[in-house]
């Protein structure tokens, strides 16, 4: 028998054209004939077995069958290669390498590494077809919601803009992970408000009457000089560590098979260990885990005995299917049983979000969280991993659970979220925070809110205390940017025909003293244990001098917004370019504690190198 090694393209074409993921392997599937050599058909079969093991939950019999079939395939591969014209030493090396990679998976009976890693392994064997090629998109099951960007709205028809705040930061660190991995993010992964709110900004003047301070600012839009930007900035009051109330924390950890890679459960264990080292004697931690079933690994344990908590974390191993619904119920039940009316009561969920048994539908999971939040227990969601991240589900759960969603791409990010910003992550100072902006038609023709696409509220929701909205933690920064067209300018608007029976709107404000106002900002919030909201009102005067004195914070936030629009391919990006964005951010780094702004500049350069559109390498614009 003679084996002829085909070309890469021939080997790729010879494989089954069906998607690599979500496909079961049949022992009766006929082998393909032609120029493709037997070893590469075997490699494809082994790959399908491994994909099967990593994307589905197999019972012991199924795993045993996969193992036997894999060993048989390796034997056939070795026999076939012996008769080939290629080097026998190379043959032995390939077989040994393949066996070394497959054997541990069969021995542990657990999920194997992610599919992107599988592709790399096949490339190492010299295979460059569908399964071993550089395009790992066929293996990627990450899920992001579609973002429908809103255009400009005419002030005479839409004088009010209402939305919920958002303190999530997951989008930025997830985008950073993708860029570091050499790929541009999908548009749905780019939530501009989360990218802006990832960064810290200068503290506004303290407001002793409310738990957060508010600052307003106006400047030219760097991507379109005829337009202008308004920055609304909220910052939660800072709490000294000694003044933080006792913490009743329940770690809800996903230990299913998909969490096996080191950047998943391994990272979670390290992150939770570092958080545990920060606990005080009055703090308590319980650990709930879930895979095919859920269980209480550690009852509430005082921070006075951190080693007991660390030891419990160290014993966790990944394996099995993912029943997140049962885990959520048990975690909330545990938190309620030990509820501290004077303390912080929070479930910290760490997962890739890939739930496949029990309650798996996103709407059902959201309904479950909505019922559980009535207990007064708040939720933090930590996303981890690559390849199967269910971003949309985790964001929805955090939003519904009076919580915060962060993505941990490495241990440095875990320290930032859980230790450096623990006040904002764990200690809620105001809930159901809503913002409503009323625009002055004498000063503004049209406007659009940048980002917050899934946080928009009906205008009537602003005064409805039953309407859920976002939370703000101690020290949290919340920034909203509006782009607007001054009166007398030009804007492309979606308009309706003139109405026959409605009175015409006045073109100026009735109160002459208010005519210099661009807008009025109203905020509503509730104390963490309150049912009635409090109203805060601020006004922004249209002062031309402010335009020439744009702060570093406004210029940096506008650079992040420009970056997000470029990554999305936004139709509103105007003259924005990678060069403009980089230079704008570089000139607004300011007091960069932690080096996060400097890191942002490096990410812009990475995105520039990956961008397929040379037209985005434009001239530098200024905000002045």
């Amino acid at each position: 028998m003679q084996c002829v090694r085909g070309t890469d393209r021939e080997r790729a074409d010879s494989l089954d054209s069906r998607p690599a993921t979500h496909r079961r392997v049949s022992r009766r599937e006929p082998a393909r004939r032609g120029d493709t050599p037997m070893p590469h058909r075997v490699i494809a079969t082994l790959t399908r077995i491994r994909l099967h093991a990593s994307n589905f939950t197999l019972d012991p019999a199924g795993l045993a069958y996969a193992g036997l079939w894999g060993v048989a395939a390796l034997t056939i591969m070795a026999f076939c290669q012996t008769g080939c014209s290629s080097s026998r030493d190379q043959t032995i090396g390939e077989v040994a390498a393949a066996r070394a990679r497959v054997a541990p998976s069969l021995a542990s009976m657990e999920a194997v590494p992610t599919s992107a890693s599988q592709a790399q392994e096949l490339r190492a064997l010299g295979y460059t077809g569908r399964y071993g090629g550089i395009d790992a998109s066929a293996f990627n099951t990450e899920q992001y919601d579609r973002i429908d960007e809103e255009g400009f709205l005419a002030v005479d028809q839409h004088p009010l803009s209402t939305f919920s705040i958002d303190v999530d930061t997951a989008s930025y660190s997830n985008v950073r992970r993708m860029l570091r991995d050499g790929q541009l993010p999908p548009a749905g992964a780019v939530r501009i408000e989360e990218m802006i709110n990832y960064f810290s900004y200068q503290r506004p003047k303290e407001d002793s009457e409310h738990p957060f301070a508010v600052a307003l600012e106006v400047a030219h839009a760097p991507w379109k000089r005829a337009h202008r930007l308004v920055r609304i900035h909220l910052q939660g009051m800072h709490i000294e560590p000694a003044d933080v109330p006792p913490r009743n924390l329940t770690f809800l950890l996903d230990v299913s098979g998909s969490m096996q890679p080191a950047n998943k459960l391994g990272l979670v264990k390290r992150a939770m260990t570092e958080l545990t080292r920060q606990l005080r004697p009055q703090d308590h931690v319980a650990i709930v885990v879930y895979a095919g079933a859920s269980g209480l690994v550690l009852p509430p344990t005082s921070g006075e005995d951190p080693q007991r908590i660390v030891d419990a974390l160290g014993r966790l191993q990944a394996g099995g299917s993912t029943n997140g619904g049962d885990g959520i119920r048990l975690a909330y039940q545990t938190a309620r049983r030990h509820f501290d009316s004077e303390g912080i009561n929070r479930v910290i969920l760490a997962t890739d979000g890939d739930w496949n048994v029990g309650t798996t539908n996103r709407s059902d999971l959201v309904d479950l969280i909505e019922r559980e939040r009535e207990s007064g227990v708040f939720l933090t969601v930590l996303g981890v991993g690559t390849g199967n991240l269910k971003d949309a589900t985790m964001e929805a759960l955090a939003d519904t659970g009076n919580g915060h969603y962060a993505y941990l791409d490495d241990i440095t990010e875990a320290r930032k979220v859980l230790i450096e910003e623990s006040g904002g992550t764990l200690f809620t100072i105001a809930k159901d925070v809503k913002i409503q902006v009323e625009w002055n038609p004498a000063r503004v023709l049209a406007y659009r809110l940048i980002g917050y696409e899934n946080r928009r509220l009906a205008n009537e929701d602003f005064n409805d205390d039953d309407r859920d909205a976002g939370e703000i933690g101690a020290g949290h920064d919340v920034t909203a940017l509006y782009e607007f067209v001054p009166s007398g300018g030009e804007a492309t608007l979606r308009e309706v025909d003139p109405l026959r029976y409605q009175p015409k709107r006045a073109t100026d404000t009735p109160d002459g003293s208010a005519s210099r106002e661009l807008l009025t900002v109203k905020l509503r919030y509730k104390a963490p244990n309150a049912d009635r909201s409090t109203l805060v009102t601020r006004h922004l005067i249209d002062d031309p001098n402010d335009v020439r004195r744009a702060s570093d914070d406004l210029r940096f936030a506008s650079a992040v917004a420009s970056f997000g629009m470029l990554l999305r391919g936004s139709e509103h990006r105007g003259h924005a370019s990678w060069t403009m964005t980089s230079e704008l951010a570089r000139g607004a780094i300011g007091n960069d504690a932690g080096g996060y702004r400097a890191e942002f500049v490096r990410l812009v350069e990475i995105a520039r190198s990956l961008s397929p559109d040379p037209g985005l390498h434009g001239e530098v614009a200024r905000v002045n």
Side-chain angles (χ1 to χ4, degrees):
M1 178 173 60
Q2 182 179 10
C3 293
V4 180
R5 185 181 297 273
T7 64
D8 291 343
R9 180 173 299 277
E10 289 169 342
R11 291 198 297 272
D13 291 342
S14 71
L15 290 173
D16 193 332
S17 60
R18 289 175 293 169
T21 55
H22 300 91
R23 187 181 70 187
R24 296 189 178 274
V25 179
S26 171
R27 82 179 92 182
R28 296 181 181 176
E29 182 176 345
R32 292 189 174 220
R33 304 294 180 182
D35 292 337
T36 305
M38 176 69 76
H40 291 289
R41 292 202 298 273
V42 173
I43 290 174
T45 302
L46 288 173
T47 302
R48 288 194 285 269
I49 293 172
R50 298 191 64 181
L51 286 170
H52 186 72
S54 60
N55 287 284
F56 295 95
T57 302
L58 294 179
D59 57 22
L63 282 169
Y65 166 74
L68 291 173
W69 179 249
V71 171
L74 285 169
T75 303
I76 296 171
M77 177 179 175
F79 174 80
C80 177
Q81 280 282 54
T82 303
C84 290
S85 58
S86 59
S87 166
R88 182 175 184 275
D89 291 338
Q90 180 182 358
T91 298
I92 294 174
E94 291 180 350
V95 172
R99 181 181 290 116
R101 279 188 291 272
V102 174
S105 301
L106 300 178
S108 64
M109 291 298 192
E110 293 178 346
V112 294
T114 61
S115 298
S117 300
Q118 295 167 354
Q120 293 172 356
E121 291 171 0
L122 287 175
R123 285 204 303 274
L125 289 176
Y127 182 73
T128 57
R130 171 189 288 272
Y131 296 102
I134 60 173
D135 182 10
S137 60
F139 305 107
N140 196 316
T141 62
E142 295 186 11
Q143 292 180 356
Y144 302 94
D145 275 346
R146 174 186 172 91
I147 295 177
D148 292 316
E149 201 170 35
E150 191 171 69
F152 283 92
L153 300 175
V155 173
D156 61 353
Q157 296 180 24
H158 304 277
L160 294 177
S161 172
T162 308
F163 64 99
S164 162
I165 69 161
D166 182 7
V167 296
D168 295 346
T169 58
S171 179
Y172 180 80
S173 50
N174 191 27
V175 166
R176 176 177 62 198
R177 179 261 299 181
M178 296 183 198
L179 291 174
R180 285 174 172 174
D181 287 348
Q183 63 182 33
L184 292 171
V190 183
R191 295 185 289 273
I192 294 177
E193 72 280 5
E194 293 186 22
M195 299 180 69
I196 294 174
N197 289 332
Y198 179 87
F199 299 93
S200 297
Y201 299 95
Q202 185 175 355
R203 184 181 305 181
K205 184 178 179 180
E206 294 290 349
D207 187 338
S208 58
E209 185 180 354
H210 304 289
F212 50 80
V214 183
L216 307 175
E217 189 178 5
V218 61
H220 285 298
W223 49 81
K224 196 158 189 176
R225 295 285 293 171
H227 293 184
R228 295 161 76 182
L229 292 179
V230 166
R231 173 176 172 253
I232 303 172
H233 178 216
L234 283 64
Q235 188 176 91
M237 64 180 181
H238 287 257
I239 305 295
E240 293 298 324
D243 297 328
V244 174
R247 291 176 283 194
N248 169 34
L249 306 178
T250 302
F251 296 169
L252 175 55
L253 309 182
D254 181 352
V255 294
S256 63
S258 67
M259 291 288 288
Q260 188 181 37
N263 66 346
K264 292 189 177 184
L265 184 57
L267 175 59
V268 169
K269 290 164 67 173
R270 290 183 64 192
M272 295 307 176
T273 296
E274 297 212 11
L275 175 58
T276 297
R277 300 296 187 192
Q278 307 297 315
L279 297 178
R280 307 160 300 173
Q282 62 267 40
D283 300 327
H284 289 79
V285 165
I287 301 178
V288 173
V289 299
Y290 66 89
S294 59
L296 180 65
V297 171
L298 183 73
T301 301
S302 169
E304 196 171 19
D305 187 7
Q307 193 57 47
R308 184 183 176 195
I309 302 171
V310 171
D311 289 344
L313 290 167
R315 289 190 294 268
L316 299 181
Q317 294 183 342
S321 54
T322 316
N323 190 339
D326 279 356
I328 290 171
R329 294 183 188 93
L330 180 57
Y332 273 94
Q333 177 184 332
T334 302
R336 287 196 306 270
R337 185 179 298 128
H338 303 278
F339 190 88
D340 186 345
S341 59
E342 301 298 325
I344 298 169
N345 300 276
R346 184 172 292 269
V347 170
I348 302 178
L349 167 61
T351 179
D352 57 17
D354 196 2
W355 294 315
N356 52 31
V357 297
T359 304
T360 60
N361 182 275
R362 180 164 51 153
S363 63
D364 292 337
L365 289 166
V366 168
D367 288 344
L368 172 59
I369 294 291
E370 190 170 6
R371 292 191 298 271
E372 296 289 357
R373 78 178 181 208
E374 300 303 320
S375 64
V377 176
F378 290 77
L379 177 67
T380 292
V381 178
L382 305 177
V384 293
T386 64
N388 65 335
L389 184 74
K390 300 301 181 282
D391 172 87
T393 298
M394 290 188 285
E395 185 198 14
L397 295 185
D399 294 347
T400 305
N402 288 341
H404 170 235
Y405 171 37
Y407 175 79
L408 309 183
D409 53 340
D410 55 29
I411 192 61
T412 301
E413 181 66 12
R415 294 188 185 110
K416 177 179 185 289
V417 172
L418 295 173
I419 298 175
E420 296 174 19
E421 300 175 354
S422 61
T425 302
L426 303 178
F427 185 22
T428 298
I429 59 175
K431 67 179 182 179
D432 293 339
V433 183
K434 310 168 191 172
I435 296 178
Q436 187 169 79
V437 178
E438 180 183 358
W439 294 87
N440 181 357
R443 295 276 174 175
V444 179
L445 172 67
Y447 65 89
R448 74 180 187 95
L449 176 60
I450 300 176
Y452 293 92
E453 285 85 2
N454 61 358
R455 300 304 181 107
R456 309 297 168 93
L457 299 174
N459 294 329
E460 297 79 8
D461 290 336
F462 183 74
N463 292 323
D464 183 358
D465 282 347
D466 292 332
R467 185 67 164 86
D468 183 58
E471 282 62 48
I472 184 169
H476 259 157
D477 283 283
V478 178
T479 294
L481 291 180
Y482 278 97
E483 180 179 358
F484 73 91
V485 182
S487 58
E490 297 181 356
T492 302
L493 304 171
R494 299 175 61 189
E495 298 180 337
V496 299
D497 293 336
L499 302 179
R500 180 178 180 86
Y501 305 108
Q502 306 305 314
K504 293 183 178 180
R505 296 183 181 272
T507 58
D508 205 344
T509 53
D511 184 355
S513 65
S515 62
R516 293 182 62 240
E517 292 178 359
L518 272 177
L519 52 84
T520 295
V521 176
K522 295 187 291 184
L523 302 100
R524 282 196 176 276
Y525 72 92
K526 299 174 190 170
N529 297 320
D531 296 323
R532 298 288 299 275
S533 65
T534 299
L535 177 65
V536 181
T537 303
R538 298 286 187 272
H539 307 285
L540 178 60
I541 301 298
D542 188 9
D543 184 355
N545 291 328
D546 286 347
V547 174
R548 293 192 293 268
R549 296 196 302 268
S551 68
D552 284 348
D553 284 349
L554 189 151
R555 287 185 288 129
F556 187 81
S558 65
V560 180
S562 172
F563 184 55
M565 289 191 290
L566 290 172
L567 290 175
R568 278 190 192 173
S570 169
E571 64 177 294
H572 301 294
R573 66 181 183 266
H575 300 296
S577 68
W578 302 116
T579 301
M580 183 211 80
T581 301
S582 176
E583 293 301 322
L584 187 61
R586 200 183 302 273
I589 287 179
N591 182 18
D592 187 21
Y596 297 111
R597 293 191 181 191
E599 178 191 59
F600 170 78
V601 175
R602 293 192 293 272
L603 290 183
V604 175
E605 297 303 323
I606 293 174
R608 182 214 301 261
S609 70
L610 297 173
S611 173
D613 188 351
L616 297 181
H617 300 260
E619 296 298 322
V620 178
R622 296 180 182 176
V623 178
N624 57 22

